[in-house]
Amino acid sequence: MNADRRGSFIVSVGDLLASWNLPHATGRVYGLLLVSEAPLSLDMIAAELALSKGSVSTAVRQLDSWGLARTIPQPGSRRLLVEAAGGIASLLEASHARAKTLIAALREGEDLVSTDPARRRLEDVIGLFASYVDVGSQMLSTYRRQQERGKES
Amino acid sequence: MNADRRGSFIVSVGDLLASWNLPHATGRVYGLLLVSEAPLSLDMIAAELALSKGSVSTAVRQLDSWGLARTIPQPGSRRLLVEAAGGIASLLEASHARAKTLIAALREGEDLVSTDPARRRLEDVIGLFASYVDVGSQMLSTYRRQQERGKES
């Protein structure tokens, strides 16, 4: 049934954003926005997700700060509408920035061990993690460039 | 001073493993093992990190289950020694397995919206996340193959 599939999708997005340490409610609001053809009011979001208006307000504020949602003021009304905006590139980029800081901190430790196998083992851990972050970074840069080209055309 | 740099490295590894939802103490034990030239006893780890022996025991058990540490029984003694083992490839692979499950769940939602811009927006989010996971997966496979070749030579 479509309502179940919708509910299940919304929970999946909650789970997805939780892996970037965003509250599950925030992720679910994003999930709802992604499957809504038109912008929604905070009341509508609260009703559909069985959340308090305060929780929805907090979630929308977080999504806005991440560039995942935008608020649309209504002329002559204090009511805001909300819609999903952009993709998760900003979240991934922030996650990468943090990973790079950690890699730099780990590299500081490379001269704390001087003999094999400890030395090689440490280089191996750092090397793998750094490569993993690099390929992700490259992919994000490519994505950003494609987005920019898309806007110019 | 070397002791400070060592302490700082250990905390960084705690932070790093926390991004895979491992307790900070577990990450710090791994960090200590990475900068130890020789295997350590649980008492030595507890003393250096100011942890209880129970916490160290739990941490070691977790690291062992992730392939990040191995225990070495001592003949004629009940004392175990512990050393770092392998890299973080298993953690990354587990993280990928979970990401792929989420992507499959997200794709289930693609037909919940049928009109642009909602449809295109959703495809964009899923597409980016899927590409991000794919490049990481490819990199891990390459790494695994290199490890296997290293063992054969």
Side-chain angles (χ1 to χ4, degrees):
Chain A
M1 198 201 159
N2 235 26
D4 293 331
R5 292 178 52 236
R6 198 170 146 94
S8 190
F9 174 84
I10 285 168
V11 167
S12 301
V13 179
D15 293 344
L16 177 58
L17 261 55
S19 56
W20 281 286
N21 295 318
L22 283 174
H24 205 261
T26 300
R28 278 183 287 137
V29 172
Y30 185 52
L32 175 60
L33 295 175
L34 283 175
V35 293
S36 301
E37 316 263 7
L40 303 175
S41 69
L42 303 193
D43 287 324
M44 288 159 84
I45 297 170
E48 173 125 20
L49 301 181
L51 289 170
S52 70
K53 211 162 157 214
S55 302
V56 172
S57 199
T58 299
V60 165
R61 205 167 32 246
Q62 278 192 312
L63 292 172
D64 190 299
S65 78
W66 279 107
L68 294 173
R70 76 170 64 88
T71 53
I72 307 161
Q74 296 298 96
S77 163
R78 289 177 68 197
R79 208 170 75 138
L80 281 176
L81 298 183
V82 195
E83 65 179 355
I88 53 169
S90 321
L91 265 181
L92 291 173
E93 282 162 350
S95 177
H96 270 183
R98 191 168 174 273
K100 284 178 171 175
T101 308
L102 280 175
I103 288 166
L106 290 176
R107 289 204 190 284
E108 298 268 306
E110 275 183 317
D111 57 351
L112 290 170
V113 278
S114 46
T115 62
D116 282 340
R119 177 73 193 222
R120 210 180 315 167
R121 185 179 58 202
L122 182 56
E123 286 175 353
D124 193 50
V125 170
I126 293 171
L128 174 60
F129 188 55
S131 303
Y132 180 78
V133 172
D134 276 346
V135 292
S137 276
Q138 284 167 36
M139 196 230 67
L140 284 174
S141 303
T142 303
Y143 172 83
R144 282 296 190 199
R145 278 196 305 272
Q146 286 169 350
Q147 293 293 97
E148 290 306 306
R149 260 182 244 131
K151 282 179 189 161
E152 287 154 28
S153 56
Chain B
M1 201 205 157
N2 234 27
D4 293 330
R5 292 179 50 235
R6 197 172 147 95
S8 192
F9 174 86
I10 285 168
V11 167
S12 301
V13 179
D15 292 344
L16 176 59
L17 261 55
S19 56
W20 281 285
N21 295 318
L22 283 173
H24 206 260
T26 300
R28 279 183 288 137
V29 171
Y30 185 52
L32 175 60
L33 295 175
L34 282 175
V35 294
S36 302
E37 315 263 8
L40 303 175
S41 69
L42 302 193
D43 287 324
M44 289 158 84
I45 298 170
E48 173 123 21
L49 301 181
L51 290 170
S52 70
K53 212 163 156 213
S55 301
V56 173
S57 198
T58 299
V60 166
R61 205 166 30 247
Q62 278 193 314
L63 292 172
D64 190 299
S65 77
W66 280 105
L68 294 173
R70 77 169 66 88
T71 53
I72 307 161
Q74 298 296 99
S77 164
R78 290 177 69 196
R79 208 170 76 140
L80 282 176
L81 297 183
V82 195
E83 63 179 358
I88 52 169
S90 319
L91 265 182
L92 291 172
E93 283 163 348
S95 178
H96 271 185
R98 189 166 176 274
K100 285 178 171 174
T101 308
L102 280 174
I103 287 166
L106 290 176
R107 290 208 190 281
E108 297 269 307
E110 275 182 315
D111 58 351
L112 290 169
V113 279
S114 44
T115 62
D116 282 337
R119 177 74 192 222
R120 209 178 319 167
R121 186 181 57 202
L122 182 55
E123 286 174 352
D124 192 52
V125 170
I126 293 171
L128 173 60
F129 188 55
S131 303
Y132 180 78
V133 172
D134 277 345
V135 291
S137 277
Q138 284 166 37
M139 196 230 67
L140 283 174
S141 304
T142 304
Y143 172 84
R144 282 298 191 197
R145 277 197 306 272
Q146 287 168 348
Q147 293 291 98
E148 289 305 307
R149 260 182 242 131
K151 284 178 188 161
E152 287 154 26
S153 53

